[in-house]
Amino acid sequence: MKVLPTLLLILAGVLVGGTWSLHKQGAAGPAVVVTGLLAVLATVGGVLWLLPGEA
């Protein structure tokens, strides 16, 4: 089932774009940091899910 990690990576891309947009618009620092951290978590989760492991 490779759909969920793909969706996580798509979500990560959207969050990275949102982080960049917030930064360019001059949003408050905490909003940019939280959005960036969520992007990192989604990326790490998607990549780790795709790694081979015990089934």
Side-chain angles (χ1 to χ4, degrees):
M1 187 174 201
K2 303 291 184 188
V3 174
L4 294 176
T6 302
L7 291 176
L8 270 176
L9 292 173
I10 290 170
L11 174 64
V14 170
L15 286 170
V16 167
T19 302
W20 182 253
S21 178
L22 284 170
H23 174 69
K24 294 296 274 185
Q25 291 178 22
V32 176
V33 170
V34 168
T35 309
L37 287 175
L38 289 173
V40 169
L41 285 174
T43 303
V44 170
V47 169
L48 287 178
W49 202 322
L50 289 173
L51 291 177
E54 297 180 29

